[in-house]
Amino acid sequence: MRLPKTYEAEQYEKDIYKLWERSGAFYANPKSGKEPFVISMPPPNETGTLSIGHALFLTLQDIMIRHARLKGKDALWLPGTDHAALAVNALIEKQLSDEGTDKHQIGRDEFLKRTKEFVGNSRNTMLEQMRAIGASADWSRTRYTLDDSLNRCVNETFIKMYEDGLIYRGYRIVNWDPNLQTTVSDDELVYQEEKSKFYTLKYGPFEIGTARPETKFGDKYVIMHPDDERYAQYKHGDTIDVEWINGPITATVIKDEAVDPKFGTGVMTITPAHSHVDFEIAQRHGLDKEQIIDFHGKLLPIAGEFEGINIAEARPKIVEKLNKKGLLVSIDEEYVHNIALNDRGKGVIEPQIKLQWFVDVNKKIVDWKGKKHSLKEVMQSVIREGDIEIVPKRFEKTYFHWIDSLRDWCISRQIWWGHRIPVWYRIDTDNREETYVGIAPPTDQSEGFHEWQQDPDTLDTWFSSALWTWSTLVDPKLAVDGSLSLEAILKDSRDFQKYHPTDVMETGWDILFFWVARMILATTYVTGEVPFKKVYLHGMIRAEDGKKMSKSRPESIVDPLSVIPKYGADSLRLALIMGVSPGNDQNWGTAKAEANRNFCNKLWNIARYIEASTSELAVGSQPEPKTAADHWVIAKLNEAGESINEAISNFNFSGAYYRMYHLIWDDVADWYIEASKTELNSTVLDHVLETILKLAHPFAPFITETIWQTLHAEDDTLLITAQWPKPVKFDAKKAKQFEQVQKIVREIRQIKTALVKQHGNALFKNSQIVADNEPLIKSLAKLESLVKTEDGRGLKLTQTTEPVWFEVDDEEAKKYLKSLQERSKELKESIKNLEVRLGNPGYAKKAPSNLVNESEAQLRDKRSELKTLTAYIASQKSD
């Protein structure tokens, strides 16, 4: 035999992948005339190695791409990596710090040189890891967010948005990281629960609460809700004199609906320079915004004797002073709140007002449909009007909520790694600044001006990532041609014209707002198209105990590249989609990998049996069904092909997996293979193997291609480029006959198990189905005899419509009846538990839809079984 006894994944996977790459199977062809199917791979950060989360999205997207390829589409999965500006910058700065230097000492050019060397090595490692998982991406089109062509697109987009008034430079509050000395976007923040103290302070006639007394030096506005009757005597704009930290001040009353009257005393003071909420209130009312804390986390001169002290060190001293002045009312020692940290470096975020570049999300312009809308409104309308579908739909509500509260987007970063802002400044001899926005500065040599200097800041990584679906499809040669406009580049780029908009954006629900929404914003603005037609959001992979995988718990983190050598890439892939459902988190456990390694072994053993029975795989030949089992298995293969195709098309990956799994394990291995041992039909066996290999290929590409190549090595045919199975004709009546055979065999097996009998005899009366399938039933049910009789005796089978009896004596009949009664009790208890579960409104709303559907199916099956059992027990008692 060509297939060895056992499947050892590591012996085949690398060679199979090389075979695919050599064949060009991954390459899309815009000239093919085929219907395109396109996925832009979310570019992983190039700084590290693949996580189990990466493995999930690679598997889901690869399933869709392989399925589309088998369906005859021009499938393009465009891969790439992200320059991960903040993460990479933090790593290089840490390296420099360890060497006793910093970026300012080595200079920008040397810093960028070192960074490029580092990320180049890391990027290649990551791409190889993607291959190990089986990603069938078009590597010839691999893109990188700092490619020259993508950089051109980024610069042109910035310039266009600036000229349209959508990008501006101004003073607004930002997330500032004092450690890394840069602004940080909302999506780069993580929140850590912290137990601290909450202080109630006396502020004139009011009491105010704060966890940060060190920010209160400049608080000269007292805010209350306009409808709060407790403070009706105070009018908007009233002033009052209060004693405060460093002496008396005059405070102004501001009425604003941002105040929650139910929280605390319903009164608060604001620190506009160090709070996003306070800044917005100050903006609405034209209030002063005085900086209290500098950009290194130290107090400024407004703090008096506390000037220059780090805020953490200053806090207890400030509280002590407040107490001495009689301004400290109380301290809550058990206050728990979330503090914002920079995900890179874990520096505590200090909101600061800073001169930065922003995208105006509220300014109205003529949008991609010719209507006057703001970017914010466009992001909402594409979902409301059905231009883009979000799966699962429940995330639409969350999406809209986030867009409703969207602030202008700060896009500048005070780091050197990334897309440098295409803005130039020069000053004249009177120190007046002139600004020019463009890829390169003007060449004029005006007298009285110093040389043009480019803005030292770089753009937020998400700004370049927002262009990902279309910037990756422009022709690189056209993009670096400075004579062409962006419109001309898009018009003349063959890939963009063929493959955009893309079909699916598959990503984690956690970046729906930060990336997906921004792609919609930027792409509709620049190209006049949506970036994708559908968004599929997968959940997070959690540890086996259901908790988040965390570096603080190293044992909880799963490295997919450590799973593959032990279980194989296919087992990893199958384990990841086993039970996956859109938007819902799932737990990882090695038991899943073990179960799916067993499944791969089952598939291998099926192939070995068919090889031994038919010698070779006759691909494409028409099956010639003869027996009821032949017709039944063809019916099952037809139905599975249709249902798996529909499930993948509708993102029901778990449903597709289970249908494929049960087809191969139950229908083929447990039933048809066993039936074929009674009457072998090589044409049907060949069809079975060819079909299940095609249906399983998107999920388990390595083992299916290995079997295909081993048993069909006479030509260059590849499974990866084969065609999805087409329905084959069968006799439905004969297929139904085999279903009766199954019912007979199942019930006989059930009786024998209950009575602990290895063999036995059965009788049948006037049944053509039984007569036609007598050898098969005897074989499958392990009967000593199956005899036609005029009068039945023993236990009459109830799960079939055919008159069949299993021969037993009275004692055995009573024993079996007792086992059925016990089973009846078990069923009633199970039904009761399922009814309680499904009757709980919270379960139906919160549980993953596939689990709810599974529970409902279990309830139906158990009710049906109980009904049959009850009727059977009643009939036996009456006898």
Side-chain angles (χ1 to χ4, degrees):
M1 292 182 66
R2 284 172 286 179
L3 290 173
K5 187 174 182 180
T6 58
Y7 174 66
E8 301 293 341
E10 68 273 12
Q11 294 182 15
Y12 300 99
E13 289 180 349
K14 289 184 179 179
D15 289 338
I16 288 294
Y17 199 90
K18 290 177 182 177
L19 173 66
W20 289 330
E21 286 204 270
R22 286 197 306 269
S23 73
F26 300 165
Y27 298 162
N29 180 6
K31 296 181 179 180
S32 67
K34 296 179 181 179
E35 177 188 353
F37 180 84
V38 188
I39 299 176
S40 291
M41 180 189 294
N45 290 353
E46 61 189 358
T47 53
T49 57
L50 291 181
S51 67
I52 196 72
H54 291 121
L56 174 62
F57 91 66
L58 288 168
T59 298
L60 292 173
Q61 291 173 37
D62 193 50
I63 288 171
M64 288 188 276
I65 284 292
R66 288 179 184 271
H67 171 250
R69 201 178 283 125
L70 290 169
K71 292 291 290 182
K73 295 182 180 180
D74 182 19
L76 170 60
W77 187 14
L78 198 149
T81 55
D82 189 273
H83 65 281
L86 197 59
V88 172
N89 192 88
L91 283 170
I92 302 302
E93 290 207 42
K94 175 67 166 55
Q95 290 178 8
L96 293 174
S97 177
D98 292 342
E99 295 171 14
T101 185
D102 60 40
K103 66 181 183 182
H104 299 290
Q105 292 184 52
I106 67 170
R108 189 165 193 146
D109 289 343
E110 179 61 24
F111 180 87
L112 294 178
K113 179 183 176 183
R114 289 184 58 152
T115 307
K116 288 176 182 177
E117 290 175 356
F118 169 79
V119 299
N121 295 330
S122 181
R123 187 185 315 135
N124 292 334
T125 298
M126 179 161 283
L127 293 176
E128 286 306 307
Q129 291 172 339
M130 292 180 187
R131 287 175 165 91
I133 290 173
S136 60
D138 187 340
W139 304 113
S140 70
R141 287 177 166 87
T142 302
R143 296 293 183 261
Y144 172 48
T145 48
L146 278 182
D147 283 344
D148 290 341
S149 59
L150 272 69
N151 190 57
R152 171 74 189 282
C153 295
V154 168
N155 288 335
E156 292 287 358
T157 301
F158 183 99
I159 295 165
K160 177 177 170 61
M161 295 184 83
Y162 176 81
E163 292 174 347
D164 285 346
L166 293 173
I167 283 181
Y168 66 92
R169 192 180 186 217
Y171 285 95
R172 289 186 63 86
I173 197 157
V174 295
N175 301 313
W176 178 256
D177 182 348
N179 286 2
L180 293 182
Q181 288 288 290
T182 182
T183 56
V184 178
S185 63
D186 290 341
D187 47 283
E188 289 161 331
L189 302 183
V190 292
Y191 293 90
Q192 178 177 299
E193 194 173 85
E194 179 186 72
K195 182 179 178 182
S196 63
K197 298 177 181 179
F198 188 81
Y199 307 92
T200 301
L201 308 176
K202 182 176 175 57
Y203 190 84
F206 309 106
E207 288 185 359
I208 63 167
T210 183
R212 302 190 66 201
E214 68 275 8
T215 67
K216 294 298 176 183
F217 291 97
D219 284 15
K220 56 184 179 181
Y221 302 104
V222 59
I223 319 295
M224 55 195 69
H225 197 282
D227 299 331
D228 194 331
E229 295 181 358
R230 291 172 295 177
Y231 307 108
Q233 71 270 33
Y234 298 100
K235 307 301 180 187
H236 181 81
D238 283 354
T239 58
I240 56 174
D241 294 326
V242 301
E243 181 63 29
W244 199 222
I245 307 173
N246 286 334
I249 63 170
T250 298
T252 303
V253 173
I254 300 296
K255 298 288 183 110
D256 194 284
E257 294 182 353
V259 179
D260 181 1
K262 297 178 181 179
F263 181 77
T265 62
V267 173
M268 68 181 194
T269 57
I270 60 171
T271 310
H274 301 288
S275 162
H276 288 284
V277 173
D278 295 0
F279 178 85
E280 296 297 337
I281 293 173
Q283 283 286 88
R284 283 196 291 273
H285 300 284
L287 310 181
D288 294 338
K289 309 174 188 73
E290 191 166 5
Q291 188 176 5
I292 312 299
I293 303 165
D294 72 10
F295 293 106
H296 296 278
K298 296 181 179 180
L299 289 166
L300 290 166
I302 189 175
E305 74 240 50
F306 304 105
E307 177 187 356
I309 303 177
N310 180 275
I311 54 177
E313 181 185 345
R315 184 178 300 172
K317 298 177 181 180
I318 296 167
V319 173
E320 182 181 359
K321 182 175 183 179
L322 286 164
N323 189 34
K324 287 180 179 179
K325 296 188 70 171
L327 299 177
L328 178 63
V329 177
S330 64
I331 302 177
D332 179 358
E333 303 277 354
E334 301 297 322
Y335 181 65
V336 177
H337 66 139
N338 288 324
I339 58 170
L341 306 175
N342 181 357
D343 193 30
R344 307 297 177 180
K346 307 304 179 187
V348 178
I349 295 300
E350 182 60 64
Q352 291 278 14
I353 295 175
K354 193 170 178 61
L355 180 62
Q356 296 288 281
W357 288 96
F358 295 88
V359 172
D360 189 336
V361 297
N362 293 298
K363 180 175 181 178
K364 293 184 182 293
I365 60 169
V366 177
D367 70 11
W368 65 306
K369 289 187 176 180
K371 300 177 182 178
K372 200 164 187 180
H373 279 150
S374 67
L375 295 175
K376 190 173 178 178
E377 290 168 335
V378 171
M379 284 190 282
Q380 294 174 321
S381 68
V382 294
I383 306 299
R384 287 201 176 101
E385 296 175 13
D387 298 300
I388 296 174
E389 177 187 353
I390 295 178
V391 180
K393 191 174 178 62
R394 70 176 186 273
F395 276 93
E396 288 185 5
K397 183 178 180 181
T398 312
Y399 176 88
F400 289 132
H401 176 74
W402 183 80
I403 300 296
D404 286 339
S405 57
L406 184 63
R407 299 188 293 261
D408 284 359
W409 174 15
C410 177
I411 56 173
S412 45
R413 299 287 177 268
Q414 290 65 57
I415 57 178
W416 288 353
W417 178 243
H419 296 274
R420 195 165 178 180
I421 292 177
V423 176
W424 306 79
Y425 310 102
R426 67 178 181 179
I427 56 174
D428 63 14
T429 52
D430 294 326
N431 218 32
R432 289 175 300 189
E433 185 178 80
E434 182 177 344
T435 301
Y436 176 79
V437 177
I439 294 176
T443 56
D444 68 291
Q445 302 292 327
S446 303
E447 292 187 9
F449 282 93
H450 296 283
E451 289 186 4
W452 290 100
Q453 299 293 324
Q454 188 172 1
D455 194 309
D457 289 353
T458 54
L459 288 164
D460 179 9
T461 302
W462 296 105
F463 188 88
S464 58
S465 297
L467 318 181
W468 185 247
T469 64
W470 63 268
S471 63
T472 53
L473 292 172
V474 302
D475 187 323
K477 293 180 180 177
L478 297 177
V480 297
D481 183 346
S483 66
L484 294 176
S485 67
L486 182 56
E487 290 76 12
I489 293 170
L490 292 174
K491 183 179 179 181
D492 294 340
S493 292
R494 185 180 60 188
D495 278 2
F496 174 78
Q497 294 298 325
K498 172 73 181 286
Y499 298 121
H500 201 270
T502 62
D503 289 88
V504 182
M505 172 49 61
E506 191 284 327
T507 189
W509 60 259
D510 55 327
I511 57 172
L512 169 64
F513 328 116
F514 309 123
W515 188 40
V516 172
R518 284 170 176 155
M519 281 191 283
I520 294 171
L521 176 157
T523 306
T524 53
Y525 168 73
V526 175
T527 71
E529 299 176 340
V530 292
F532 28 71
K533 299 164 190 173
K534 295 184 180 182
V535 178
Y536 175 87
L537 302 172
H538 66 250
M540 303 297 102
I541 304 272
R542 296 183 175 273
E544 195 164 4
D545 59 6
K547 296 179 181 179
K548 186 177 180 181
M549 292 184 184
S550 170
K551 291 180 181 178
S552 62
R553 297 193 307 147
E555 73 283 356
S556 70
I557 298 177
V558 178
D559 177 3
L561 277 304
S562 68
V563 176
I564 290 174
K566 185 175 182 180
Y567 298 102
D570 291 326
S571 298
L572 170 66
R573 292 165 61 106
L574 292 164
L576 287 169
I577 59 169
M578 184 181 180
V580 70
S581 60
N584 293 309
D585 296 350
Q586 61 170 314
N587 300 348
W588 168 265
T590 54
K592 288 185 175 182
E594 290 174 1
N596 283 288
R597 181 176 59 186
N598 293 340
F599 172 76
C600 290
N601 289 336
K602 178 69 73 171
L603 179 57
W604 187 261
N605 289 333
I606 290 171
R608 291 188 77 245
Y609 170 80
I610 294 177
E611 180 193 4
S613 302
T614 66
S615 298
E616 63 180 26
L617 176 60
V619 173
S621 61
Q622 280 296 108
E624 299 173 4
K626 299 175 183 177
T627 66
D630 291 342
H631 289 279
W632 172 83
V633 78
I634 290 174
K636 285 293 182 180
L637 293 169
N638 287 353
E639 184 277 326
E642 292 175 6
S643 62
I644 293 170
N645 174 57
E646 182 180 359
I648 294 176
S649 300
N650 292 315
F651 310 112
N652 182 8
F653 300 105
S654 178
Y657 161 82
Y658 282 115
R659 185 65 193 92
M660 180 270 299
Y661 181 98
H662 290 299
L663 170 74
I664 293 172
W665 193 292
D666 300 336
D667 298 336
V668 173
D670 286 355
W671 285 104
Y672 185 71
I673 293 295
E674 293 305 312
S676 72
K677 293 175 182 177
T678 300
E679 188 171 346
L680 189 143
N681 186 331
S682 60
T683 67
V684 176
L685 281 171
D686 280 344
H687 175 69
V688 167
L689 183 56
E690 179 182 351
T691 302
I692 63 175
L693 290 178
K694 290 179 177 179
L695 297 181
H697 180 73
F699 309 94
F702 287 107
I703 188 172
T704 52
E705 187 74 75
T706 298
I707 294 170
W708 185 278
Q709 291 303 315
T710 305
L711 299 186
H712 187 65
E714 287 73 20
D715 56 37
D716 296 330
T717 303
L718 294 175
L719 177 57
I720 190 175
T721 53
Q723 290 187 336
W724 191 257
K726 295 180 179 179
V728 172
K729 290 183 179 181
F730 66 96
D731 188 320
K733 185 177 179 181
K734 289 184 178 179
K736 288 288 185 182
Q737 288 179 1
F738 187 73
E739 291 178 4
Q740 291 300 318
V741 170
Q742 287 179 300
K743 291 178 181 179
I744 293 167
V745 171
R746 284 196 192 99
E747 192 166 0
I748 291 175
R749 289 173 176 174
Q750 178 183 322
I751 294 171
K752 288 167 61 182
T753 300
L755 298 179
V756 195
K757 292 174 72 75
Q758 294 295 320
H759 298 283
N761 301 309
L763 308 172
F764 71 96
K765 179 182 177 181
N766 299 329
S767 171
Q768 192 61 45
I769 291 176
V770 176
D772 290 345
N773 293 278
E774 181 184 339
L776 179 60
I777 295 172
K778 282 181 63 178
S779 174
L780 294 177
K782 289 186 172 57
L783 294 171
E784 293 175 352
S785 67
L786 178 58
V787 181
K788 185 175 181 181
T789 183
E790 295 297 324
D791 297 306
R793 61 184 180 276
L795 293 171
K796 188 175 188 302
L797 305 191
T798 61
Q799 296 174 19
T800 175
T801 56
E802 302 303 305
V804 181
W805 292 261
F806 185 73
E807 209 169 29
V808 294
D809 58 30
D810 290 342
E811 285 301 315
E812 289 175 323
K814 290 177 182 178
K815 183 179 178 181
Y816 182 61
L817 184 61
K818 184 178 180 181
S819 72
L820 295 184
Q821 291 169 335
E822 290 173 354
R823 175 60 181 162
S824 178
K825 289 179 182 179
E826 292 174 3
L827 285 170
K828 288 177 181 177
E829 187 64 27
S830 296
I831 289 169
K832 181 181 177 181
N833 293 336
L834 286 167
E835 288 174 339
V836 169
R837 183 193 305 171
L838 291 167
N840 182 353
Y843 175 76
K845 289 182 179 179
K846 296 179 182 178
S849 59
N850 64 305
L851 292 183
V852 175
N853 294 337
E854 187 178 318
S855 295
E856 290 174 342
Q858 288 176 354
L859 181 59
R860 287 193 299 270
D861 291 343
K862 290 182 185 298
R863 282 173 173 170
S864 175
E865 185 182 350
L866 179 62
K867 183 179 179 181
T868 302
L869 269 182
T870 302
Y872 182 80
I873 293 170
S875 68
Q876 295 300 314
K877 286 182 178 179
S878 63
D879 290 345

